[in-house]
Amino acid sequence: MNQWIERRLPELLEEHGVVGAQVAVLHNGEIVDAAAGVRHNVTNEPVTGDTIFQIGSITKVWTATLVMQLVNEGLLDLDRPVRDVLPEFRLADERAARVITSRQLLSHTAGFEGDLYFDTGDGADMLERYLERMAGTEQVSRPGELYVYCNSGFVVLGRIVEVLRGKPFNTVLRERLIEGLGLRNAATHYAEYTGHRTAGGHMPKDGELRPVEERTPEADAPAGSVLAMCARDLLEFVRMHLDTTVFNAMRETQVVPPDFGSGGRQGLGWVLHDYDNGLTGVGHTGQTPGFQSYLRVIPAAGLAVAVLTNGGAALPMTRAVYQAVLGELTNVTLREFPEPPAVAVPIDVEKVVGVYRALRADLHMTASGQRGVKLRVVPRGDTAPIDDREYEYVGFRDDALISVEQEGGRHDVIVLCGRDEQDRVKWLHYGRAAVRR
């Protein structure tokens, strides 16, 4: 398998226009890895095995692990209100703020707007200040009512870790996991990047991939803005999870999200995957400006695969790696991405059309032709990092739409959730949820 990765990885990068990548595989207790491409497509510095990449939201599994350490030590009850630890926790809906639990934060069911990205500096008080700015955050749904992916919930969890450990979150992360595991190629602050061979992110601009200067605010660290490492170190963290039973509760289903055509269940931090041959896996993906990261683990087989990239068509490249590695070592076949049906499923357009409100944009759904709808995404505010664009969708199921065009290597699925007093669709759900205005 190591020879296959070393031989095929450069070919896959060229085929899919990926700037640089690392792949690491853990199997039978041994980690093998390979690297290809460049850290920056201007300087052409090569990616090596110790190059660090931002891992994005895979960080959430690390934060969840720190939370579960508190649970295992009897310092935290997941089913008690967050306010037991953080009396200052405030939201626009006081009734929600009083009852939201750590379990709901870990499973993305707390229901409040999650993509806040407050820039509160990089000091020891950055999470404390972040929580102060959350006071006006609105609910999308009632606590426990709906799965809504929530980055900000993991910032709150990071603050819980700080308060119960009496140290800044990143200090706890370094002491309890990075140093505890003996990881040498990992950075928890942007300032630490200069001490490593660090990959730079790349995004399309004017028809070509260009280096990205944008960085997500450091206060979003517990959700995934900063943590960077090499693929081998990421799998050392996974090895810890496979070598002990103390974190097994993280793999238990907490909620089944709306069906976007690829299945999946939500655990505590981990996302759970069911394969056709009866195996169950866990994993997570991550995305920050210019980076995409992927992690799949099949605990029963003692197998994990990590793919870290810094620009280009990373998803189809990663699927090629998954298909080869998982297929050979576990006989797993990946589920195909959803495709628009040959004949669109009829939908009640009148119940779908309207304006839906998300945190950073209004989503305008209008009729298109006899069977389809058009979705126009209109940014709200001058700083919203979203382009004003229009997309065409057709019926995928009686409760879901699918985009006619691919983006990022797959067709987007929107699930039509809930009904209002007039029997109209209440939420457009795409991982996040936009509520009808």
Side-chain angles (χ1 to χ4, degrees):
M1 181 52 64
N2 190 34
Q3 292 180 348
W4 182 92
I5 296 171
E6 290 180 344
R7 175 175 54 83
R8 281 288 288 148
L9 187 57
E11 299 171 353
L12 288 170
L13 262 66
E14 183 174 357
E15 178 181 349
H16 297 288
V18 174
V19 177
Q22 289 174 342
V23 173
V25 177
L26 168 64
H27 189 235
N28 291 333
E30 180 184 1
I31 297 176
V32 297
D33 64 334
V38 296
R39 293 158 50 193
H40 304 272
N41 66 3
V42 175
T43 64
N44 288 321
E45 300 162 290
V47 174
T48 55
D50 59 355
T51 299
I52 65 171
F53 290 72
Q54 290 184 5
I55 65 169
S57 285
I58 295 175
T59 303
K60 291 180 172 67
V61 184
W62 294 66
T63 299
T65 302
L66 294 177
V67 170
M68 293 307 295
Q69 287 179 340
L70 293 168
V71 172
N72 292 340
E73 294 172 32
L75 299 175
L76 179 68
D77 184 338
L78 293 183
D79 297 310
R80 293 291 304 162
V82 167
R83 281 197 177 166
D84 281 7
V85 180
L86 304 178
E88 71 276 18
F89 177 58
R90 296 284 185 273
L91 298 169
D93 187 334
E94 170 62 15
R95 293 171 300 176
R98 284 201 307 264
V99 300
I100 286 171
T101 67
S102 297
R103 186 181 301 277
Q104 290 170 338
L105 298 178
L106 286 167
S107 59
H108 300 283
T109 57
F112 56 83
E113 291 280 10
D115 294 330
L116 303 179
Y117 304 122
F118 296 135
D119 189 352
T120 56
D122 59 2
D125 63 346
M126 64 183 184
L127 301 192
E128 182 179 7
R129 294 172 60 201
Y130 186 107
L131 259 69
E132 291 173 357
R133 294 185 60 179
M134 285 184 65
T137 302
E138 297 181 354
Q139 294 294 124
V140 176
S141 59
R142 295 188 302 271
E145 180 181 19
L146 188 68
Y147 169 94
V148 181
Y149 192 83
C150 185
N151 284 296
S152 302
F154 275 76
V155 179
V156 178
L157 290 165
R159 179 61 181 155
I160 289 173
V161 170
E162 286 189 335
V163 169
L164 293 180
R165 293 296 184 196
K167 299 178 181 180
F169 171 80
N170 284 332
T171 300
V172 180
L173 176 62
R174 177 160 293 281
E175 290 179 353
R176 289 192 159 260
L177 292 177
I178 293 174
E179 293 178 356
L181 293 170
L183 308 184
R184 303 184 59 171
N185 297 298
T188 64
H189 291 277
Y190 288 133
E192 295 177 355
Y193 285 10
T194 56
H196 297 271
R197 292 186 175 92
T198 305
H202 300 76
M203 294 182 70
K205 185 176 182 181
D206 300 328
E208 60 184 79
L209 287 170
R210 296 188 177 181
V212 175
E213 300 297 329
E214 175 190 357
R215 285 179 172 175
T216 307
E218 192 146 336
D220 202 53
S225 64
V226 182
L227 187 59
M229 64 189 61
C230 66
R232 175 175 284 270
D233 278 6
L234 178 54
L235 292 195
E236 290 291 354
F237 167 77
V238 173
R239 187 204 301 274
M240 176 195 70
H241 273 262
L242 297 181
D243 285 350
T244 181
T245 61
V246 299
F247 300 117
N248 283 5
M250 293 173 61
R251 304 181 207 162
E252 297 175 1
T253 301
Q254 305 297 310
V255 63
V256 179
D259 183 3
F260 301 107
S262 299
R265 295 171 282 126
Q266 181 64 52
L268 298 173
W270 287 116
V271 177
L272 285 65
H273 308 279
D274 296 313
Y275 298 104
D276 292 339
N277 63 354
L279 287 174
T280 296
V282 298
H284 216 291
T285 60
Q287 184 169 330
T288 52
F291 293 90
Q292 294 182 68
S293 54
Y294 304 86
L295 176 63
R296 288 281 181 106
V297 185
I298 302 181
L303 174 66
V305 186
V307 181
L308 308 182
T309 70
N310 66 335
L315 181 57
M317 186 206 81
T318 300
R319 281 183 65 83
V321 172
Y322 282 166
Q323 286 169 342
V325 176
L326 300 183
E328 178 176 329
L329 298 180
T330 63
N331 198 32
V332 158
T333 300
L334 297 182
R335 181 179 296 191
E336 294 296 328
F337 286 142
E339 296 278 346
V343 178
V345 174
I347 56 173
D348 191 344
V349 173
E350 291 303 315
K351 303 296 186 184
V352 176
V353 297
V355 179
Y356 299 77
R357 182 182 181 89
L359 179 64
R360 299 181 183 277
D362 287 330
L363 279 58
H364 295 252
M365 190 71 80
T366 58
S368 175
Q370 293 183 337
R371 292 183 176 271
V373 292
K374 286 187 177 179
L375 175 65
R376 183 183 174 198
V377 180
V378 181
R380 186 182 311 110
D382 296 336
T383 61
I386 301 171
D387 295 329
D388 187 333
R389 298 182 60 183
E390 192 170 69
Y391 308 84
E392 187 170 357
Y393 285 78
V394 296
F396 179 56
R397 299 187 308 262
D398 59 2
D399 69 339
L401 310 170
I402 189 166
S403 62
V404 173
E405 300 295 330
Q406 280 193 2
E407 186 163 341
R410 62 182 299 173
H411 295 272
D412 182 49
V413 172
I414 293 177
V415 179
L416 311 174
C417 289
R419 294 285 169 163
D420 67 7
E421 298 82 359
Q422 301 175 44
D423 197 36
R424 301 175 303 177
V425 170
K426 185 174 182 180
W427 292 286
L428 298 181
H429 205 307
Y430 46 95
R432 280 73 168 171
V435 63
R436 182 182 288 275
R437 287 176 50 179

